[in-house]
Each structure stands twice: as C-alpha cells, then as structure tokens.
Amino acid sequence: MESLTRALVAGWLPERPEDGHKGTFGRVLIAGGSVGYTGAPVLAARSAVRGGAGLVFLGVPRSVWPVAAVKCDEAMPFPLPEDEGGRLAAAALEPLAERLAGCDAGLVGPGLGQSEALDGLVAGLLTRAECPMVADADGLNALARHMDILRRVNVPLILTPHDGEFRRLSGHWPGADRAQEAAAFAQAHRCVLVLKGHRTVIAGPEGQLFRNTTGNQGMAKGGSGDALAGLILSLLGQGMEPVQAAAAAVWIHGRAGDRAAEARSFRGMTPSDLVETLPEVWREDFHC
C-alpha cells in the first residue's frame, strides 16, 4: 500500500492547455437533491467547479430547483420530475440519461433520498452510462439493496462509502485491516472503492491501494463527503484515470480541509470553507 503525497498527486494531474475551452476541461453531471436535502448536491456542484471542471450540470427535483439555482452561479441546475415526497421520480431517468450521454463523467446520490423508484433510477443511470460514474450517499444505499447492479455496469465506477455504508454494501463492518477489506471489495466487484474515515483508503480493481495522509477532525461534518464526491467527479471528467482521480481528490480534499482548519479552526470550519479553500491548494501546492 502506498501513502499519498503531494508529489505523487502532482504527477497524476492532467495539463490544462492554454488554448483550452469549457469542453476541454470536462462536462460533468450530478443527479441528487430532495426536499430537506438541498445542500448536498449544491456542495458537490461547487466542489466540481472549484476542482476545475469546464461545465457542471445539476439535475434536481422540480421543487428543489429554485433553491439550487439561487445557490449556484457557475454550476447549471435544471428541474426534473419529482414524486409526492419531493424526491426525483422515475420519470426523471430519461432526461438525466439524455444529459449524461453528452458528459464525460457522472455522479449520483448526494441528497437523493430513498425509494423504490430511486433504486430504479440509480440502476438505470449506472447501467446506461457510457462515461465513468461516481456513486455516493443514497446512490450507495440503492446499490446496497441491489448489488446485482454492479455486475451490469459497463463503465468505470467509483464508490465512496463511510464505514456504515460499507457495512450495507458488504454485509459487515470493516475489520481492523480496513485496507485489506477495501482491496478485497474493489477486486471482487471490479470498482474503485474509497473507504472514507481517518486515513481514507482508496482501492482499485487491479489491486491498487493507497492510504491518505491529509485531513483532520474538523472535516467530520455533514457535507464534507458531498464535497469529496464533487471533486472526484471533477477530476474524473477532466480525463484522469479512475483510481488516480479518486486518490488525488481524497488527498486534495484533505489538504483543503487542513488549510480551512488553520484559518477557521477545527470546530468552526465548514464544508463550504473547505470548498472555498480549494483554490489555495491549487495555487500553493500545485502552482496551477
């Protein structure tokens, strides 16, 4: 297992050509949000923008759309059919799939909520996707109820569980050797697994294994995982290999969290502070 370092991450990051345009730096799509959970998809979208993505689309339930539209200046939220609970309805699958067809990477799950229709929506998006995908939060909960979906996904897939979500996916809590647990899961299910927690572990389907070296307890707040998912999505959409995109995003996310804690304190920092600190990481740590 290799420890992540600034130098290692720097060697993976793609170049940003001087003559690049919006399309050069990736079109990405986020599907999520529900009444009562408007912050999660917005944080993911903001993080994707700060991560350098050229175009960030955000599909949310119709009643959530005005809130997301007010909160997002650079990302582009659009309204979708919803059910009586303010969650995405089954009818949202087709417009999402059409938008995803023109994108370089997709993310499903932040603030999504749970229902049988959403299980079908997650399955439909993942199995119809022609670009790399990230499943987070309620996207993972949908997979946990239908693990057969993983056998039908034909594109690179990154899963981002914390320990509780890993238990739902695997049927057991991670043991003392979290790295071995992550590696076994990633190889068995042919995916990239980001097992979040203190010293997050990133495992790939070919036996790649990394341990993170950044981050702090101030990041243990709702929304930090959404910011990480958006950053992974951003790097994935910019053309990075899935394992490298996941590992680099974890290190950069933790580095931004460390900088935010220095400025705001462990208790006082927020996931929004972390996202707004990403430009400092790009400038100071990577000179870009």
Side-chain angles (χ1 to χ4, degrees):
M1 180 168 58
E2 191 168 4
S3 292
L4 292 173
T5 64
R6 188 209 63 80
L8 185 62
V9 171
W12 291 336
L13 293 175
E15 296 291 331
R16 288 183 69 87
E18 292 184 2
D19 61 349
H21 52 80
K22 290 178 290 187
T24 306
F25 303 117
R27 298 175 174 86
V28 299
L29 171 68
I30 300 166
S34 57
V35 170
Y37 294 92
T38 58
V42 169
L43 278 167
R46 288 177 176 170
S47 187
V49 170
R50 289 296 191 188
L55 292 165
V56 180
F57 301 103
L58 173 57
V60 296
R62 189 172 304 280
S63 61
V64 169
W65 173 76
V67 178
V70 168
K71 290 183 175 183
C72 292
D73 291 322
E74 296 87 2
M76 292 163 283
F78 59 97
L80 291 165
E82 65 183 11
D83 65 15
E84 65 281 358
R87 300 164 298 206
L88 290 176
L93 176 58
E94 289 305 320
L96 278 170
E98 289 177 11
R99 187 71 64 105
L100 185 62
C103 289
D104 300 296
L107 163 63
V108 60
L112 191 67
Q114 300 186 55
S115 70
E116 288 187 14
L118 285 171
D119 288 356
L121 185 146
V122 171
L125 273 184
L126 293 181
T127 57
R128 291 171 60 172
E130 297 181 356
C131 61
M133 295 292 294
V134 183
D136 181 53
D138 285 325
L140 297 173
N141 288 327
L143 285 174
R145 288 186 288 271
H146 305 279
M147 289 294 286
D148 60 293
I149 295 170
L150 293 176
R151 296 193 297 271
R152 297 186 278 123
V153 176
N154 297 311
V155 296
L157 177 61
I158 300 175
L159 308 182
T160 59
H162 53 58
D163 283 5
E165 291 163 339
F166 181 82
R167 180 188 64 80
R168 291 191 283 276
L169 288 167
S170 67
H172 62 273
W173 291 97
D177 192 342
R178 299 175 78 250
Q180 182 56 42
E181 295 271 9
F185 186 98
Q187 292 177 60
H189 296 285
R190 306 300 301 166
C191 65
V192 177
L193 188 81
V194 177
L195 184 55
K196 297 184 294 191
H198 179 65
R199 298 295 174 253
T200 291
V201 173
I202 304 92
E206 304 299 331
Q208 310 99 314
L209 193 59
F210 300 96
R211 186 187 301 278
N212 191 35
T213 55
T214 59
N216 60 79
Q217 71 270 28
M219 298 165 63
K221 293 170 182 169
S224 292
D226 303 305
L228 174 59
L231 186 56
I232 295 172
L233 173 71
S234 186
L235 297 182
L236 199 58
Q238 292 173 65
M240 290 185 67
E241 292 296 318
V243 175
Q244 294 178 355
V250 168
W251 190 93
I252 293 165
H253 178 262
R255 180 65 168 147
D258 290 339
R259 286 183 172 273
E262 290 174 6
R264 299 286 187 174
S265 80
F266 296 131
R267 292 182 187 273
M269 66 170 286
T270 68
S272 289
D273 293 329
L274 185 159
V275 170
E276 295 308 311
T277 305
L278 285 171
E280 294 181 22
V281 176
W282 292 127
R283 183 182 66 244
E284 301 297 332
D285 291 282
F286 301 105
H287 310 292
C288 61

